Amino acid sequence: WGSSSNKNEGGEGEEEEEKTITVPDAIARWRLLLPNALAIIPASASDGPNDAGVEALRKLLIGGPDVPKAFRDLGRPVQGMFREGVKTVEDEEAKNIIPLGPPLYDEDMLTDRTERFFASEIIRSVLFEKLGKELPYCCEVRVTEFKEPKPHDKKPIIRMMATIFVERDSQKGIVVGKGGQKVKDVGIVAREKLESFFQTKVHLDLSVKVDKDWRKDKSKLKAYGYIN
């Protein structure tokens, strides 16, 4: 369903107009615009990934399995959902929508991300765990130094320096905590998780700094990987 309302904000003759579009009307409009569309699927993003329409779209794009069942789960077909004379979409037809292409990476390649990236994400996840709703939404974690152990080291250890950036001094106080206890707790848990991830000992030097209004600075957004 889609709805919209307009109000006249004047003091006199205030009116409210509401327009409601039913699913059959919406499908009919889209069918007029896209007469050759394979399927027009009613879906509701507000219902999450388990919505029948979202599930049907997912099955359609990946070519099954059992695309017809996904459409049956939508209930009785609405006129215009499929092309004229067609009652559903078969798996083979769905597979031809997005044909298989050559692999983008080698089979033994697990990721195209760096170890620094994973380290920063692990530290960020611990920030969420430890600070919860107190966590400033503008926190950014950057690994500024990452030294791997040398092959001949008797006690291999990764030495890492990371900085948590915030935009205000008040936010820094929240992350650091009284007497530095918050950031200390974050560092302890993060180090344990980093050691589990890298399967070796980790020395983590964690600090908190203010980078004022970094989210409004294009050069900072680029440096932090948010824009190209």
Side-chain angles (χ1 to χ4, degrees), residues 123 142 144-145 159-163 202-207:
I123 296 169
R142 305 299 294 174
T144 54
E145 185 176 296
R159 299 188 179 277
M160 193 184 309
M161 294 181 67
T163 303
V202 172
H203 173 80
L204 175 62
D205 186 344
L206 189 60
S207 61

Side-chain angles (χ1 to χ4, degrees), residues 22-42:
T22 64
V23 170
D25 286 344
I27 289 176
R29 292 185 184 187
W30 280 108
R31 181 54 67 183
L32 268 176
L33 290 170
L34 303 168
N36 296 319
L38 188 65
I40 296 173
I41 305 170

